[in-house]
Amino acid sequence: MENNDLKISSDSSERNIHLRELFAELSERFDAEISSDFPDIEISDVTSDSRRVHSGSVFVAIKGISADGHRYIGDAQNKGASALVIQHGEIVENINVPVAIVPDTREALVILLKKFFCKSPKKLFAVTGTNGKTTVSHILWHIFTEAGEKAGIIGTLGYAFENGVLEKLSITTPDAESLWRLLDKMEKKGITAVAMEASSHGIHQKRIYGLDFDAAIYTNLTQDHLDYHGNMENYLSAKCALFEELPLSSTAVVNIDDNYSKQVIDKNRGELLTYAIENSSADIVAEIVKMNITGSVFKMRSPFGNFDVHTKLPGKFNVYNILAALGATMARGYNPEIAISAVEKIEHIKGRFQRIENGQLFTVIVDYAHTPDALKNLITTARELSKGRVIVVFGAGGDRDHSKRAIMGKIAAQFADLIIITSDNPRSEDPMKIIDMIKTGIPERVNYRTIPDRREAIFTAVEIAQSGDIILIAGKGHEDYQILADRTIHFDDAEVVSEAISERIRR
């Protein structure tokens, strides 16, 4: 049973396809073992979720991280599954319907989905990298809309089409079945362009397998998700896989200031377009003219012309994000003036260097930074823009990569003036144990406060802030919840900050 997390995906396909045609497709693509004799019945749907099975369904058994679909084959048959697709090497008993045995059921699922949901929006852009995926995707979304497209978006902040209202997703890149159904739904609603985040998990688990991207953007690679990938080599390999599978006619937009960009370029099959701030040999280069807390001004040199760009998104990292989005859209034929106009209208991206203004004399920033590199970029950017001290409030997520915790403590100690260590999403771990691991990276001479209660930590930062200071609330960004060991509670950093500021002003 694969966990399909999109409620919108409940509809069956409008097409009926004969089983013999579906199995022939699998035989052509794989060294598949197919039932020797079976009735050529009509199939109305394909699914990897046994709960969705009905008469006329093909059930594809996928071995996932926490569940194995092969264990639900009996349930699928009881619900009326007309055929099964299972993986080589799996022992399954009491099968009484036609079956195809394939080397990789994840790939098989996509092959069958393409037969049912063969259409997707004409322009599909993917964004991958450790940091910047959400911001770049949202900039693309704004450019598409400014250019007159009916635009969609899929990523960390959710998915949207038609009215532009974001609906939540449980994961950044939905499972393959949900994704294909959603893209099909978007196409039927007239969506012509979609920006989507391609997470390393999503790439590795083949959630985006079989999609033909018009453009793919690589932002950067820094330490994250090692609890899943094991090491940086595997993490990089997952990112590279997106570019290895690009159509030859697509555009690969790569940040060559990043240390791992050469490996991405070596694997890339698309037409290459590079961008940078430091490396003047890039196709697209930015020269920063002005930068402050309200935004930046930079000159952009590109094959599409030279432009002055004004943005309300502060920080050098946002210049990189803008270069990526502008490069991708211009390379795919979007008008440069329209693209830049869209960029200049963006006020902020939720939870990404988001300023909270409530009449206070200091600045408060809420940001999703939850990796060492993201935290460093956040604090150093604040350092460049601050007229006073930089106060950082942060923690680390539970049940995730332990090795980055001490590194984040060291970075905070190196670049911030005041540190408050608190809880993030502790999940099943003891919050104090997570905090203790962060503290191991902080030198003895550095003063810091430990306040496990995140609300109290934020209120304390607001209370001690002075005129000209910048408070950074890092780690959760757009999230409006906190995951504890025994429950999930409502918690929104931006809301808590606003409340804390209001209370201080009232006094």
Side-chain angles (χ1 to χ4, degrees), residues 324-364:
L326 289 177
T329 49
M330 291 179 187
R332 301 309 293 181
Y334 285 82
N335 181 288
E337 283 76 18
I338 291 175
I340 291 171
S341 173
V343 166
E344 295 182 341
K345 291 177 181 178
I346 300 172
E347 298 286 340
H348 71 271
I349 310 296
K350 183 173 175 58
R352 270 63 180 172
F353 212 86
Q354 180 181 351
R355 282 185 294 141
I356 309 299
E357 299 289 347
N358 202 6
Q360 77 275 14
L361 298 177
F362 48 89
T363 299
V364 184

Side-chain angles (χ1 to χ4, degrees), residues 111-129:
I111 290 167
L112 298 183
L113 287 169
K114 289 182 85 166
K115 297 292 288 186
F116 284 97
F117 306 101
C118 56
K119 290 185 178 181
S120 64
K122 297 179 178 65
K123 300 167 186 174
L124 191 57
F125 287 48
V127 187
T128 198

Side-chain angles (χ1 to χ4, degrees), residues 389-406:
R389 302 170 299 172
V390 175
I391 303 169
V392 61
V393 179
F394 79 106
D399 302 333
R400 297 294 185 267
D401 180 10
H402 289 194
S403 65
K404 69 181 183 182
R405 295 172 182 175

